[in-house]
Amino acid sequence: MKVLILGSGVIGVTSAYYLARAGHEVTVIDRQPEPALETSFANAGEVSPGYSSPWAGPGVPVKAIKWLLMKHGPLVIRPKLDPVMWVWLLKMLRNCTSARYAVNKSRMIPIAEYSRDSLRDLRRDIGIQYDERSKGTLQLFRYQVQLDGTAEDIAVLKQYGVPFEVLSREGCIAIEPALGGVKEKFVGGLRLPQDETGDCHMFTQALAKHAQALGVRFMFNTGIDRIVTDGARVSGVATSAGLLQADAYVLALGSWSSRLVAPLGISLPVYPVKGYSITVPIKDASGAPESTVMDESYKVAITRLGNRIRVGGTAEISGYSDKLYDARRATLDHSLTDLFPRGGDLAKATFWSGLRPMTPDGPPVIGPTQYANLHLNTGHGTLGWTMSCGSARVLADMLSGKKPEIDVSALAVDRYKHRFG
């Protein structure tokens, strides 16, 4: 088939690669001049199936009040006269129950683990390089109450067979030696040894070249205006380059997906939640992290990417604004300098923000719509990098008429509209 993919972030490019590998004729369109220049550009760098959990969970509403009042809090809400924002927030609150959390997490872990395994296969098959490290993730607890409160998380990890280690202070230092200089700052940690790290932007750009070698055509600097339909099918996409047509269409536009399909009668509650990051050159390798350290108090991830440190965090609900706020950078600076004071050269850091495409319940939306030739691959939130390869493989199987290797029927928007109730 001829397949037209809308979006060239990590989801769009992985979709293009796997579809081309399956023998399809693929074109990717994007308004940017090259791949991975928006949400995929400078994310936290984690491939973390073990942390594939919904943001909506029991206790979150109470925690949110605390976070909003913290100096370096992980949550920011900038109210707008936007009914879509408030409806999305209400739907998220409805998912903050133990029962819904369990169901939503059960829908996220399989696709995340399948994706990690697919990424490993990809590395083996094509030798792609992206500052990858397979050294796990360490969730660091500053206070004993945090460490004592891990029982519920550990129960879920056991339920899904995710390997883990509960570490004392000395155990954390054995994994991350640079923490030895600040051991009074924390009490212990929870380590997920199978998690990985890597530069999502570097990966996406490299994979785009492999996709081109398979025949994928990229049309950059191409604005997407609207999807044109003819009865029960999509007949084309109106763009700045004219009407583009194909046999099948894949929507992978992240936070912008819901706006594009709303005129088609598709209710897709994907809303942007802005995240921030700084990228810091390593000044002293012995003072830098070996992999990813999650600062649980501030919900900040500190990740080693080659000769750089990526520090990512904050959930800011402020619509589609990509404005950079100095107060958000202060939180990232504080977490890095507090735990790894010798590691990076903050004077040379770059500051970035990106819009994570979040669903109110947590799982992404993958699969068919009410239009026979329109498929969705969006709504991955903070886990787009983690879930990218698996989501793309599943989608390629669907469009090729094959049964996917894992069951993702619960992720289809048309069959499970109650997900977002």
Side-chain angles (χ1 to χ4, degrees), residues 103-156:
V103 170
N104 293 333
K105 189 175 180 71
S106 73
R107 293 171 174 172
M108 297 173 74
I109 285 185
I111 186 68
E113 295 197 327
Y114 179 64
S115 188
R116 178 200 58 214
D117 295 342
S118 298
L119 177 58
R120 291 174 178 174
D121 291 344
L122 193 64
R123 285 203 303 269
R124 183 196 62 222
D125 293 344
I126 65 175
I128 191 168
Q129 297 182 349
Y130 48 93
D131 280 343
E132 179 270 335
R133 287 189 171 215
S134 299
K135 295 189 174 184
T137 298
L138 175 63
Q139 187 177 13
L140 199 69
F141 303 116
R142 292 175 178 266
Y143 307 106
Q144 188 63 41
V145 66
Q146 294 172 330
L147 186 59
D148 294 341
T150 58
E152 187 172 330
D153 289 335
I154 288 173
V156 173

Side-chain angles (χ1 to χ4, degrees), residues 156-210:
V156 173
L157 294 173
K158 288 180 178 178
Q159 179 184 351
Y160 293 102
V162 179
F164 68 92
E165 301 169 344
V166 178
L167 301 177
S168 64
R169 178 185 285 126
E170 294 305 320
C172 293
I173 294 170
I175 297 298
E176 290 286 353
L179 292 173
V182 294
K183 59 184 180 182
E184 74 284 355
K185 302 279 188 179
F186 60 92
V187 298
L190 177 65
R191 180 172 180 255
L192 302 181
Q194 291 193 353
D195 283 4
E196 302 179 358
T197 60
D199 188 318
C200 182
H201 173 255
M202 185 184 297
F203 168 85
T204 307
Q205 294 224 329
L207 190 63
K209 293 178 180 178
H210 284 280

Side-chain angles (χ1 to χ4, degrees), residues 96-419:
C96 291
T97 66
S98 296
R100 290 198 178 199
Y101 178 85
V103 170
N104 293 333
K105 189 175 180 71
S106 73
R107 293 171 174 172
M108 297 173 74
I109 285 185
I111 186 68
E113 295 197 327
Y114 179 64
S115 188
R116 178 200 58 214
D117 295 342
S118 298
L119 177 58
R120 291 174 178 174
D121 291 344
L122 193 64
R123 285 203 303 269
R124 183 196 62 222
D125 293 344
I126 65 175
I128 191 168
Q129 297 182 349
Y130 48 93
D131 280 343
E132 179 270 335
R133 287 189 171 215
S134 299
K135 295 189 174 184
T137 298
L138 175 63
Q139 187 177 13
L140 199 69
F141 303 116
R142 292 175 178 266
Y143 307 106
Q144 188 63 41
V145 66
Q146 294 172 330
L147 186 59
D148 294 341
T150 58
E152 187 172 330
D153 289 335
I154 288 173
V156 173
L157 294 173
K158 288 180 178 178
Q159 179 184 351
Y160 293 102
V162 179
F164 68 92
E165 301 169 344
V166 178
L167 301 177
S168 64
R169 178 185 285 126
E170 294 305 320
C172 293
I173 294 170
I175 297 298
E176 290 286 353
L179 292 173
V182 294
K183 59 184 180 182
E184 74 284 355
K185 302 279 188 179
F186 60 92
V187 298
L190 177 65
R191 180 172 180 255
L192 302 181
Q194 291 193 353
D195 283 4
E196 302 179 358
T197 60
D199 188 318
C200 182
H201 173 255
M202 185 184 297
F203 168 85
T204 307
Q205 294 224 329
L207 190 63
K209 293 178 180 178
H210 284 280
Q212 284 178 312
L214 293 175
V216 174
R217 178 189 180 201
F218 286 88
M219 294 179 63
F220 295 116
N221 299 304
T222 302
I224 300 169
D225 298 325
R226 62 190 176 90
I227 296 173
V228 181
T229 60
D230 181 11
R233 295 179 64 84
V234 171
S235 58
V237 177
T239 76
S240 59
L243 184 68
L244 302 180
Q245 295 180 299
D247 300 313
Y249 302 82
V250 175
L251 183 63
L253 285 175
S255 297
W256 302 93
S257 300
S258 54
R259 288 188 166 185
L260 198 63
V261 298
L264 308 183
I266 298 174
S267 178
L268 178 62
V270 172
Y271 196 77
V273 177
K274 184 162 63 174
Y276 293 84
S277 76
I278 55 173
T279 304
V280 187
I282 289 178
K283 180 170 60 177
D284 180 352
S286 67
E290 290 294 321
S291 186
T292 291
V293 173
M294 292 281 297
D295 187 346
E296 177 62 19
S297 293
Y298 304 111
K299 303 294 184 182
V300 168
I302 306 171
T303 301
R304 175 79 164 264
L305 296 176
N307 60 1
R308 300 158 296 148
I309 302 172
R310 175 71 49 74
V311 187
T314 300
E316 180 179 299
I317 302 172
S318 57
Y320 287 79
S321 167
D322 60 359
K323 182 177 179 180
L324 293 168
Y325 290 93
D326 290 340
R328 298 300 98 216
R329 172 165 180 172
T331 298
L332 305 177
D333 289 356
H334 171 73
S335 187
L336 175 63
T337 56
D338 203 43
L339 295 177
F340 297 96
R342 297 183 294 108
D345 186 353
L346 270 180
K348 297 180 180 178
T350 55
F351 187 30
W352 171 88
S353 72
L355 301 179
R356 310 180 185 102
M358 301 286 292
T359 59
D361 59 340
V365 185
I366 306 170
T369 68
Q370 65 209 50
Y371 296 89
N373 58 343
L374 175 62
H375 280 66
L376 304 177
N377 195 2
T378 188
H380 296 77
T382 59
L383 298 165
W385 179 205
T386 294
M387 295 182 174
S388 57
C389 289
S391 299
R393 281 187 68 180
V394 162
L395 191 76
D397 285 343
M398 287 179 177
L399 268 67
S400 301
K402 295 170 57 179
K403 182 180 179 180
E405 295 180 347
I406 63 170
D407 181 10
V408 293
S409 58
L411 304 181
V413 70
D414 59 340
R415 289 185 60 192
Y416 285 85
K417 293 179 180 178
H418 66 268
R419 273 184 53 192

Side-chain angles (χ1 to χ4, degrees), residues 33 86 252 315 360:
W86 297 107

